[in-house]
Amino acid sequence: MATGTHVPLAERLRPRSLGEVIGQQHLLGEGMALRLAFESGQPHSCILWGPPGVGKTTIARLMADAFDAQFITISAVLGGVKDIREAVERAEAARDGLHAQRTIVFVDEVHRFNKSQQDAFLPHVESGLFTFIGATTENPSFEVNSALLSRAAVYVLQPLGEEDLRQLVNRAQGIGAVPVIEKAAEDRLVAYADGDARRLLNTLETLAVAAAREKLAEVTDAWLLRVLGERMRRYDKGGEQFYDTISALHKSVRGSDPDAALYWFVRMLDGGADPRYLARRLIRMAAEDIGLADPRALRLALDAAEVYERLGSPEGELALAECVVYLAVAPKSNAVYKAFNEAKAFVKKDGSRPVPMHLRNAPTKLMKDLDYGKGYRYAHDEAGGFAAGERYLPEGMPDPDFYRPVDRGLEIRIGEKLRELRALNNKKV
């Protein structure tokens, strides 16, 4: 391998152990799924699904190191069946050599392989000749053959958080790869990276070269904007303007103004916001501000996010715009949102009340002898499918009245239904 400045910064900072990995602690933290896989001593085939620059290749390489395995990389963009055949031959040679060695075959952008190319891996995965690891930025449910998908665990990697990216900047400075960076400039760099470590490191490398040419001791925000141009000036994700704009979008939807909601939505797209981020926020709006006043809103938001995943930009953005308008004109209710928060607050301060005996499950004779489930009334056998007067809360707990439907949309009917059921309960008391 080349040394010194000829080695790209991303490669120089590539983690050499799990402890050096930044981010993905939901998979690599103590007791988490991928960490357990590393510690098991038994590699297994998997799909690493996540956006660019979040560590898919790094994790695959670390897995090969952890299991002392031969590591073979295939790019699905450039490779084909010939590359797969060569990987099989190398895996057989490693298996049958004097010092038998496992093989991990890593396929980058695996969704680019067609069905027959993906199928070519199956017999070798099944025979255990090699462990297959695929990396993809696309939803594997749509892009990876079901036969291959059924033989591989799927791990979802997340964009790196703001603090993760700042840690990367510190590491780059720690090896002297970049000069001192002004706080405002660092904020802008982190925002521009948008969770992508590779984008951040490549940008830092560009800046380091430019700063050295101009003999700068510090990267300032003004100089950063001059060097990297209009794109970085407009893209303020992570800054106050970004959060003000997403707030304006959310409040416009909540306020039932479709024109204003569309305006702020397009402003965010024009400013460089990740449409996937906007899709996640729309899903949140559907659950928080519309809720059961129109349950279709949540499904439509999920569908819009899925359409974007399948079509990408710019075609998929139309589905998100459609969702924005629908959410804005839908009836609004935050009744479930409030009820959920009230229930969480109550449980947090309340004791652990025992489950009443009549609500307990009784799968064994001993439990039945101890009166587990005794006296439980099966609602489907009661008039109207409702066991009037039956109580489902712990003994001694007052009715909390968490959920209070609003007088809008479907919750009008839900409220009427609840009043009818409560009236039947009161007759039984």
Side-chain angles (χ1 to χ4, degrees):
M1 180 185 289
T3 59
T5 56
H6 297 293
V7 179
L9 180 58
E11 187 60 33
R12 291 159 65 192
L13 290 181
R14 189 182 294 280
R16 302 293 186 250
S17 68
L18 275 187
E20 294 180 7
V21 175
I22 293 175
Q24 312 309 332
Q25 291 308 296
H26 65 294
L27 295 175
L28 297 173
E30 291 294 332
M32 297 294 105
L34 258 180
R35 169 62 70 91
L36 293 175
F38 273 81
E39 294 172 349
S40 70
Q42 294 296 324
H44 63 271
S45 294
C46 60
I47 304 290
L48 303 176
W49 173 28
V54 296
K56 297 186 290 293
T57 303
T58 293
I59 289 173
R61 287 187 177 182
L62 289 176
M63 193 173 290
D65 292 342
F67 300 120
D68 191 26
Q70 173 182 220
F71 187 69
I72 301 174
T73 301
I74 298 175
S75 169
V77 177
L78 304 172
V81 173
K82 177 177 177 290
D83 300 89
I84 299 172
R85 190 179 302 115
E86 289 177 357
V88 169
E89 292 172 357
R90 290 176 60 188
E92 289 173 338
R95 180 195 62 190
D96 301 334
L98 183 60
H99 302 288
Q101 186 182 28
R102 293 167 169 161
T103 296
I104 286 179
V105 176
F106 175 68
V107 182
D108 197 18
E109 302 291 343
V110 65
H111 60 276
R112 301 275 189 158
F113 270 158
N114 60 35
K115 184 179 185 302
S116 63
Q117 289 169 322
Q118 291 184 29
D119 283 345
F121 291 103
L122 288 175
H124 310 296
V125 171
E126 289 181 336
S127 70
L129 174 62
F130 55 70
T131 299
F132 170 86
I133 301 179
T136 178
T137 56
E138 304 295 328
N139 189 331
S141 299
F142 304 130
E143 306 296 341
V144 179
N145 290 355
S146 57
L148 186 57
L149 197 59
S150 68
R151 292 161 175 80
V154 176
Y155 296 111
V156 182
L157 279 66
Q158 302 294 341
L160 269 64
E162 180 179 320
E163 290 308 311
D164 297 329
L165 294 169
R166 292 186 192 280
Q167 194 176 341
L168 267 180
V169 175
N170 291 336
R171 287 192 184 178
Q173 291 176 320
I175 64 170
V178 293
V180 175
I181 300 176
E182 182 184 76
K183 176 65 165 61
E186 182 179 305
D187 290 345
R188 194 176 298 278
L189 283 167
V190 166
Y192 177 69
D194 193 26
D196 185 334
R198 189 182 300 112
R199 178 193 286 184
L200 175 63
L201 293 174
N202 289 344
T203 304
L204 287 173
E205 200 158 25
T206 300
L207 289 175
V209 172
R213 186 184 306 122
E214 297 187 27
K215 295 183 171 56
L216 294 180
E218 181 183 36
V219 172
T220 66
D221 192 41
W223 182 81
L224 176 66
L225 287 173
R226 180 167 64 81
V227 171
L228 296 184
E230 180 67 16
R231 170 67 175 172
M232 182 159 279
R233 179 177 290 108
R234 301 197 64 175
Y235 195 92
D236 190 34
K237 185 181 186 306
E240 182 178 351
Q241 182 183 1
F242 176 87
Y243 290 109
D244 285 348
T245 310
I246 190 61
S247 175
L249 171 59
H250 197 149
K251 289 179 172 67
S252 299
V253 167
R254 183 182 293 149
S256 300
D257 188 330
D259 288 338
L262 267 180
Y263 169 77
W264 293 117
F265 172 72
V266 173
R267 272 280 301 273
M268 295 204 72
L269 288 178
D270 186 61
D274 184 355
R276 293 180 178 86
Y277 170 81
L278 293 172
R280 292 195 296 271
R281 290 301 298 248
L282 292 174
I283 293 168
R284 171 63 188 261
M285 293 175 206
E288 178 181 338
D289 293 295
I290 296 165
L292 294 181
D294 184 353
R296 294 170 299 184
L298 184 56
R299 182 65 261 171
L300 189 139
L302 289 166
D303 287 344
E306 184 177 314
V307 168
Y308 181 81
E309 288 295 337
R310 300 201 73 166
L311 296 183
S313 293
E315 294 89 346
E317 290 162 10
L318 177 59
L320 297 178
E322 188 176 295
C323 179
V324 167
V325 172
Y326 187 95
L327 298 185
V329 300
K332 305 298 188 295
S333 171
N334 69 345
V336 174
Y337 176 68
K338 290 170 64 178
F340 178 56
N341 286 331
E342 288 179 25
K344 285 198 298 183
F346 179 86
V347 168
K348 188 173 183 179
K349 69 179 181 181
D350 193 48
S352 296
R353 300 172 185 260
V355 176
M357 294 298 287
H358 70 286
L359 296 181
R360 299 188 188 189
N361 193 27
T364 69
K365 182 177 183 301
L366 174 60
M367 290 178 170
K368 290 176 182 176
D369 291 343
L370 292 174
D371 289 340
Y372 278 44
K374 184 177 181 181
Y376 170 66
R377 294 163 58 195
Y378 188 58
H380 294 290
D381 291 341
E382 304 271 344
F386 179 64
E390 182 76 308
R391 185 168 173 77
Y392 300 97
L393 289 168
E395 298 293 339
M397 179 176 163
D399 290 333
D401 194 29
F402 294 136
Y403 176 49
R404 299 177 292 277
V406 300
D407 216 15
R408 294 181 291 277
L410 182 63
E411 286 202 327
I412 295 174
R413 295 176 59 189
I414 293 174
E416 292 171 351
K417 177 70 173 179
L418 287 177
R419 285 190 288 273
E420 292 173 8
L421 297 178
R422 285 168 183 159
L424 290 173
N425 279 333
N426 291 334
K427 286 182 181 179
K428 285 285 187 176
V429 174

